Structure formats: structure tokens, C-alpha cells
Amino acid sequence: MAVRESHELLAGVVDRVARVGRLRVPKEVAVRTIMSANTGVALALITRPEMYPDHSISAEVRDITFTGILTPQDSTTPDDARPSALATISATVEADPPSDLTAAELGLFVEWLRRLAPRL
């Protein structure tokens, strides 16, 4: 139960990040990546404390993870804005699907957004 709750809390935060256009990857990928990184760091600290006496690995993995899933905060170039805009549109549509699209149309739309984002 706690695992599901933490996943849902994280998904809510990631959704807000996507809505402001900072997500570089699809929401589900971001959530899985963050959860996996957190789990890995926690297990490493517990099972190999002698390798990580100062716990700096936590901040290092956090920074690397965020670099991979977030767009730069002060992004000013149009090229950086396009994937961000696509991620925002995708997250918005997934969170609040338009009622005038069928499930198949919605699925195709989201799939096309995901395919286009890495190419821009």
C-alpha cells in the first residue's frame, strides 16, 4: 500500500512538472525512472554502507536523473521549447482527455506526440 501511495504522490508531482513544460520524457517514463533511481540508491546505502559513507550518491543520482528527464529551467531556444511543449500537451491530454475523441483517437494522438518529441 505504501509503495502505491508513494507512486501516486510522485505521479502527481511529475504531472505538475509536465504541465509547466519541463518534462523531456513521457510522464510514465519519468515516474519509473525516478522510482527506480530512488530504490537503487536506498538499496545501495542499506546493503553497501561501506561504499557510501557520506551518502553523496543520493544527490549525485538525483542530479543525473533530473538532467535526463527535465528540460533546462532557463531554456530560451525554440529548439528546447518544442519537446517541452509536446510533453506538456501529452501530459495535459492524458490527465484530462477531451471528450470528443474516441479512445483510439486519443491513443493515436498521444503516441504521435511521444514519437515526435525526440525528433525535435
Side-chain angles (χ1 to χ4, degrees), residues 8-20:
E8 289 171 1
L9 286 170
L10 177 60
V13 171
V14 170
D15 187 51
R16 289 193 299 276
V17 170
R19 286 181 185 269
V20 297

Side-chain angles (χ1 to χ4, degrees), residues 3 19 29-30 32 48-49 57 62-63 66 69 78 96 102 104 119:
V3 172
R19 286 181 185 269
V29 172
R32 285 193 316 256
R48 296 182 191 100
I57 188 69
R62 179 203 61 218
D63 293 346
F66 285 175
I69 66 171
D96 186 20
T102 67
R119 295 180 184 186

